[in-house]
């Protein structure tokens, strides 16, 4: 069941990420928040596109950047090229990377890059989740115990003395 659901989740995530990538509209770090976010993701995670880029046919083909012809001869943005940074972005050129997609680009897709990064911490996620559940269970037990103790401590000292006197008479 887990494998089937995991596969469905992976397909759903990739489909939605590709759909978001279709909004990619400019190969710069200032024009569009969406494009800028993708560009920083590509540089930070050393990835390109959602799925692995293997050539000129890739996830960018249906993006606004390509379909509006603002990409010119480029097939991938320069943020996908190895060695580009936010400091060198505006002056960076490598046509083997951006135009012919033959060398100098990050071949790993961003879905895989993010999945790998998150997988490194899955034990921590599980441990935090279990800890939260245990703390919540202890809080419920403590609340029930307190309520139980409060209920029986309502018996006053005089009531106890009265009960004791009744027992002595018998």
């Amino acid at each position: 069941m887990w494998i089937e659901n995991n596969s469905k989740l992976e397909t759903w995530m990739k489909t939605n990420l590709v759909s978001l990538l279709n909004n990619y509209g400019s190969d710069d770090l200032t024009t569009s928040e969406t494009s800028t976010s993708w560009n920083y993701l590509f540089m930070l995670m050393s990835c390109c596109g959602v799925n692995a880029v293997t050539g000129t046919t890739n996830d960018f083909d249906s993006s606004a950047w390509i379909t509006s012809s603002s990409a010119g001869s480029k097939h991938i943005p320069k943020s996908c090229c190895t060695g580009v940074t936010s400091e060198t972005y505006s002056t960076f050129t490598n046509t083997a990377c951006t135009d012919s997609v033959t060398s100098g680009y990050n071949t790993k897709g961003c879905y895989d890059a993010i999945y790998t990064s998150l997988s490194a911490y899955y034990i921590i996620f599980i441990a935090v989740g279990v800890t939260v559940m245990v703390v919540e269970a202890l809080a419920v037990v403590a609340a029930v115990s307190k309520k139980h103790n409060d209920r029986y401590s309502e018996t006053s000292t005089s009531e106890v003395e009265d009960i004791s006197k009744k027992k002595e008479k018998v």
Side-chain angles (χ1 to χ4, degrees):
M1 185 165 145
W2 165 250
I3 294 171
E4 180 182 328
N5 287 335
N6 191 35
S7 176
K8 287 179 183 178
L9 178 64
E10 182 176 330
T11 302
W12 178 82
M13 294 240 338
K14 282 186 176 183
T15 301
N16 283 306
L17 284 171
V18 169
S19 176
L20 290 172
L21 186 62
N22 287 340
N23 296 324
Y24 184 90
S26 62
D27 186 16
D28 62 37
L29 298 178
T30 57
T31 305
S32 160
E33 288 180 8
T34 302
S35 300
T36 299
S37 299
W38 278 108
N39 287 329
Y40 277 108
L41 177 69
F42 300 152
M43 290 186 291
L44 177 69
M45 300 297 290
S46 298
C47 61
C48 186
V50 175
N51 301 294
V53 172
T54 57
T56 57
T57 302
N58 53 60
D59 291 338
F60 292 98
D61 292 346
S62 55
S63 71
W65 179 60
I66 296 289
T67 59
S68 69
S69 300
S70 63
S73 61
K74 294 180 180 179
H75 290 280
I76 60 173
K78 54 187 161 185
S79 55
C80 288
C81 300
T82 55
V84 69
T85 64
S86 56
E87 292 80 25
T88 62
Y89 200 86
S90 60
T91 59
F92 186 87
T93 56
N94 180 352
T95 56
C97 170
T98 58
D99 296 8
S100 59
V101 193
T102 55
S103 65
Y105 64 95
N106 297 315
T107 57
K108 189 177 220 178
C110 289
Y111 176 83
D112 291 334
I114 293 168
Y115 185 84
T116 301
S117 293
L118 291 177
S119 293
Y121 300 105
Y122 79 94
I123 295 290
I124 295 169
F125 293 141
I126 291 171
V128 168
V130 168
T131 302
V132 167
M133 287 189 324
V134 167
V135 167
E136 287 181 1
L138 290 174
V140 168
V141 168
V144 168
S145 176
K146 181 171 178 6
K147 182 67 175 173
H148 177 75
N149 288 339
D150 289 347
R151 186 173 176 202
Y152 288 106
S153 67
E154 290 174 359
T155 307
S156 68
T157 308
S158 62
E159 289 175 346
V160 172
E161 289 174 357
D162 289 343
I163 294 170
S164 296
K165 288 180 185 176
K166 287 179 185 176
K167 284 187 178 180
E168 288 176 1
K169 289 181 183 178
V170 175

